[in-house]
Amino acid sequence: MCPLYPVHLVLTYGAVVVCVWMAGLGTMVAAASEVAALKVRLLVNDTPAEMLDVQEGMEKQITFYLDDLPPQVAGEILIKDENADHLDHIGLAPDKLPMSSLVEEPESGAKTGMFNLTGRFLGFTRVRLVLSDGTNDNELMVSPPVPVKVQRGHRVLDKIFIHVVIAMVVIAYINMGCAIDLHIIKETLRRPIAPTIGLLSQYLFMPLVSYGIGYGLFHDTPEMWLGLFLTGCSPGGGGSNMWTYLLGGSLDLSVTMTFVSTVGAFAALPLWVYALARTIFQDGHYSRLPYRNIAMLVVGLVVPLGIGLLIKWKSPRIAVVLKRLLKPISIIFIIFIMTFGVYANLYIFAFFSWKVALSGILLPWLGFMFGGAVAILARRPIEEIIAISIETGIQNTGLSIGILKLALKEYAPLGDITMVIPVAVATMTPIPLTVAYITQRIKQCRQDKSSSFDDYVEDADKGSAQLSTTDSSSPLNKTTNGHSKTLLP
């Protein structure tokens, strides 16, 4: 006999009652949730829509139909914006409608109404319709969330920025054409030790390190990881030539590496994209890479340089003047990018986080250090070390942005949001270079002051020597103690 008799009978009965009660409660909750579901149909321009798509600054009129409402239902319909990032993506007007203002369709008996949806800031959000009691805003019935995506609008500021950058780059490359030496470039290509070191650093180290950093920081947000990886796969940017010139590196080597890496992007870029991009974001469209943009980069490099070389050949005097203007033009271009460029992309900083900022620091800065270290191990001259280091660390972020937009076209505006990564890289890249340039200028100023002081001392010594020579020819006679005395007649 059971030692707990008859207690075990009570316990068994209680357990059965609890199980039945829990099962009944679950059924009641499921039934209550089914009753509380608000059936909604949305139409945009008389077309059914399961997702709402609007552009920044644009407004759309949304028609909604409420089906299977309880008879004699009263209260208000609340139109709610539910976003996870707390950004003001959309505007809703009105955000509530009394049930008495809705029109009943004679055929289906559905209640219908309208509201306006305005795109304010790119991104993703959701809209939900709620039937409330109209007094305490108690939710009686709730609709499933409707996804909303806000596309980036066309802004005049973006067009101005792009056209000004293109014009300044063309002018800078014309001046570079007046500064480079074709004989040095030919010798560089005949003995391609330095370009090979730079290209291996750029096309081997940078894609792998960007993939590794992306995995460590953005394994839970693959679109950001993809943005960092594509930035690391891009060829060297035009700013590398200007920074190389400002910091006293080999401009001839820098221009050569930029040209070769841009041409090499036709093969290296798709190779890396097809090899690793699908392991990051499997559903992206990688078959349509922007080869046209790469070709335009090559043309945009070769043609202005050719014009500069032609000027140098036909009019050496003008070439000398343009060469002297290269440094101030480079400084103006860099300041423009770091000020107006940041302002033009200021909207994207809403998606910034410490991970984005850290990725923007790690990718170019590690590129600078790795390129410089490899060049030092190869015992290259300091001018080539500077050029290889800068060329490795600076990426063509404009090209990576174009690839992102194509790869994530079906997930727009995800491509525009992922632009935060190349923008972060472009923002953080000039920091160590600016510090290096300022440090270099301070040292140069000190050296100039020191040399000016040395010249002053040297001139003073020359004056003293002349004075002593004059004194030796004067009617003075030194005593045995070394003092001079006047010889009297």
Side-chain angles (χ1 to χ4, degrees), residues 172-238:
Y173 274 134
I174 291 175
N175 290 39
M176 286 182 195
C178 297
I180 61 176
D181 191 338
L182 284 179
H183 296 289
I184 297 178
I185 293 178
K186 289 179 180 178
E187 289 298 322
T188 303
L189 293 175
R190 286 178 182 175
R191 301 175 182 177
I193 299 176
T196 302
I197 295 172
L199 292 176
L200 287 176
S201 301
Q202 189 175 64
Y203 274 133
L204 185 61
F205 175 77
M206 294 302 282
L208 292 176
V209 76
S210 62
Y211 188 89
I213 295 172
Y215 176 77
L217 295 177
F218 304 113
H219 61 274
D220 54 345
T221 51
E223 64 276 5
M224 295 295 184
W225 183 5
L226 180 66
L228 186 63
F229 174 67
L230 292 179
T231 303
C233 293
S234 300

Side-chain angles (χ1 to χ4, degrees), residues 329-470:
I329 288 174
S330 301
I331 294 174
I332 292 172
F333 175 80
I334 291 168
I335 293 175
F336 178 79
I337 293 295
M338 295 176 65
T339 54
F340 189 81
V342 173
Y343 176 74
N345 295 288
L346 196 61
Y347 74 96
I348 209 72
F349 285 87
F351 301 100
F352 251 59
S353 64
W354 70 268
K355 291 184 179 181
V356 172
L358 184 59
S359 67
I361 291 173
L362 288 177
L363 182 62
W365 294 18
L366 288 176
F368 294 143
M369 290 187 288
F370 182 81
V374 173
I376 291 172
L377 291 175
R379 298 184 178 182
R380 306 309 303 166
I382 184 63
E383 294 82 5
E384 293 186 2
I385 293 173
I386 294 172
I388 293 172
S389 174
I390 294 175
E391 197 71 26
T392 303
I394 294 183
Q395 308 301 117
N396 195 315
T397 54
L399 184 61
S400 60
I401 289 172
I403 300 173
L404 280 172
K405 287 188 174 182
L406 286 176
L408 303 176
K409 188 175 182 180
E410 289 189 2
Y411 304 93
L414 193 60
D416 291 311
I417 296 174
T418 312
M419 279 172 52
V420 66
I421 296 296
V423 169
V425 172
T427 304
M428 302 300 179
T429 296
I431 294 177
L433 301 176
T434 304
V435 172
Y437 180 70
I438 293 173
T439 304
Q440 190 181 80
R441 293 295 298 170
I442 292 174
K443 289 183 178 180
Q444 187 175 356
C445 289
R446 288 180 178 177
Q447 290 176 357
D448 292 341
K449 289 182 180 180
S450 177
S451 62
S452 299
F453 180 76
D454 292 340
D455 292 340
Y456 174 76
V457 173
E458 186 178 351
D459 292 340
D461 291 340
K462 288 181 180 179
S464 300
Q466 292 176 357
L467 181 61
S468 62
T469 304
T470 305

Side-chain angles (χ1 to χ4, degrees), residues 47 58-59 73 83 93 110 115 138-139 147 265 273 276-277 315 379 410 430 444 447 457-458 462 467 486:
T47 303
M58 302 294 290
E59 185 178 84
V73 65
N83 54 31
F115 65 91
N138 293 324
E139 297 182 356
V273 169
L276 294 178
S315 181
R379 298 184 178 182
E410 289 189 2
Q444 187 175 356
Q447 290 176 357
V457 173
E458 186 178 351
K462 288 181 180 179
L467 181 61
T486 306

